Amino acid sequence: QASGSYAKANSAYCTGGPQAAVNMLNKNLDLDIKNYASVNFAALISIVNDLGGIEMDLTAEEAYWLDGYICETAESAGVPGNLLANENGGTYKLDGVQATAFCRIRYTSGSDFKRTERQREVISKIVEKFKNANIITINKVINDVFPKISTSLTSNQILGMALHAGSYKLAGTSGFPYNLVDSWYDKNKAVCVVPIGLAQNVTKLHSYLFPDQTYATSDEVNQINNELIKITGINPDKYDLSDEVDTSQSGE
């Protein structure tokens, strides 16, 4: 839910930018996110290039599709693009355009879920390279990228955090929701991912993010949870949620 209406979660960013997306997350997930950084193609390309590229393991299927995204990605960012020109699987050192194109691949087994997994893989590679970068490289990344992002942070704040990058680590890269149906269609016939019990998924999220805190879903999340059940017909009482739910299940 965003601004009193129900739609796909990513539509919040489309209609209101990063602040609207943050508001949507806070409202639906009982969070209190205050700061954000929104990165576009050009920024991601600069980051990877300034770090000297990243090594990725590609399947033959991914290598085939990657080149199909490179020209459009390069044109959108206003930079040259180099085709991979190889349809064999293996380990490749990807430049910024290639890495961004890799993030966009969706026409493989796993569809959009696999695409978001690729995006998390690229982020993990970037974090690892950034942690081992020297101060000159860190400064270059910040100077090159800051004009290309939308953020609530100042450049000095970002630099201050970057100086401690060596001590950071990603706690995990799992997706949300944990239990879901991925084949429900809205009134516009757009396929949607729907949580099987928003309240249960949010409770599990808080247990993961804040393991030392006691949490109970707010009245607002419970209300949204009940409305989603009415709108979609996807009722958690009809599912066994003792284990992760297969994302191939469909809701009636």
Side-chain angles (χ1 to χ4, degrees), residues 178-189:
Y178 301 98
N179 302 112
L180 57 91
V181 165
D182 72 342
S183 54
W184 183 82
Y185 290 83
D186 66 13
K187 62 183 178 181
N188 298 316
K189 298 184 178 180

Side-chain angles (χ1 to χ4, degrees), residues 22 36 51 90 113 145 182 191 221 227 245 249:
V22 169
Y36 64 84
L51 292 173
F113 288 95
V145 170
D182 72 342
V191 65
V221 165
E227 285 297 317
V245 174
Q249 295 189 60

